[in-house]
Amino acid sequence: MRFQSSTSYGHVIDIRSESGTATGRPLQDELLDSLRGGDAVQSVSDGCQPPIEWSRSIPTSVLYEGRGIDLYENITRDPAYYLYRDEFSIFQRYSQDIATALLRPVNAREAKSLIKPESSEDTHLILVDLVLTKYRRRVDIQHEQLQRRIDQLVRQRPEFSRGHVDTSSPMKLKSSISAQGICGSYYDAMGYLASGGLVDETPELKHHGGPFRKCLMWLGSSFTNMKPTEAARFLRQFTRNGVLQPGDLMLVGIDRCRQVDKVMAAYSVSSPSWQRYVQNGMRNAAEILQEESLVGDWEYVARWDAAEGRHVRFAKSTRPRALQSRETAIPEGEHVFLAQSYKYTRADATSVFEAAGLQLLDEWVNADDDCSLFLLENHRD
């Protein structure tokens, strides 16, 4: 996909493309193909229950349509959902160290260089939270949600400003933080960053005239939805396609917990929050395809895959279904793959970063040493 143009609505930059998918195809087509399945059958076993085999799936983004984002946020508030709290605890404990590392001089290339610069205002930093660049359909609702979140952030933190920083005086420039949203998919955001769009939309950089760098924050452990080899391939798109310039940074949060009971509780099949989230996702699929047969009678099923070190989630059909005019039938008992969460080891993570051309500068961990924030730098010239 090639980035074409952006539209600014106050403090949200709209970069949505026609598809917002990896292939550039409409989401409806990708959803239908994934529900039809194919000859390649995968399986997962936890060693205690019968193996689950599947060939059908739905794109993960479908789960977040409509109320999906709000329903997922309800999951993160569940006491058993440790991922958010563990990651946030790292920020609370090491906020000063992280800020110092991010604001080190652009030309300081040594790994582990955490010496605080003499004057931090000499370096401008653009933080791009990839968690905010979400999904494509029901675009008005998603756009409004993003604006609402930024409004709430600015109300809670008066030192933040909506949109651009006031450059009318050095004092205002020094003390202000600009909060701005980017509405689009991951793939829209990659094209936008590679084209230099974010820099063009940031007049503070032109006013300052000094060095700057981007830092892409990929938090919430969503990075580990991919197996390590796939994650390395995906990250190479950032380092080789101009998304990250030499010296730009990434701050990546990764859950490394492999305590099975703790992981299974976080994604519990008995959790009403998870059940509502999954049912909503299947309703989204029905609405996108205009297929009433997909509505209702789905069971949320999950397995821990010890061999791969991942948690895998499905929707199991409790009755037979026939998609009208699409020559597709889903038998009773069929499992439709929804999502997976790999729990990387530290060695997994570092090998992914190295394969992608990212240099590890530092790592901060939680109290139990099973969740990490990795600070990475693109060192490809």
Side-chain angles (χ1 to χ4, degrees), residues 124-126 198-199 202-213:
H124 274 219
L125 180 73
I126 306 176
L198 190 61
V199 175
T202 312
E204 296 84 8
L205 297 176
K206 298 176 182 179
H207 176 88
H208 181 260
F212 67 91
R213 62 156 60 92

Side-chain angles (χ1 to χ4, degrees), residues 15 30 38 83 93 95 120 213 297 301 351 355 367:
I15 60 170
E30 290 206 348
L83 290 85
R93 184 176 182 181
S95 58
S120 61
R213 62 156 60 92
D297 300 319
V301 177
S351 64

Side-chain angles (χ1 to χ4, degrees), residues 53-85:
E53 295 185 341
W54 78 94
S55 64
R56 306 177 196 272
S57 63
I58 66 171
T60 305
S61 60
V62 172
L63 298 171
Y64 293 92
E65 293 292 318
R67 299 176 57 235
I69 291 178
D70 291 333
L71 291 172
Y72 189 79
E73 286 188 351
N74 288 338
I75 291 172
T76 67
R77 300 185 185 103
D78 191 298
Y81 193 82
Y82 64 89
L83 290 85
Y84 172 80
R85 292 191 305 275

Side-chain angles (χ1 to χ4, degrees), residues 256-272:
R256 296 184 286 103
C257 179
R258 290 196 175 188
Q259 298 179 37
V260 177
D261 291 345
K262 183 178 178 181
V263 172
M264 293 300 292
Y267 305 93
S268 174
V269 295
S270 62
S271 164

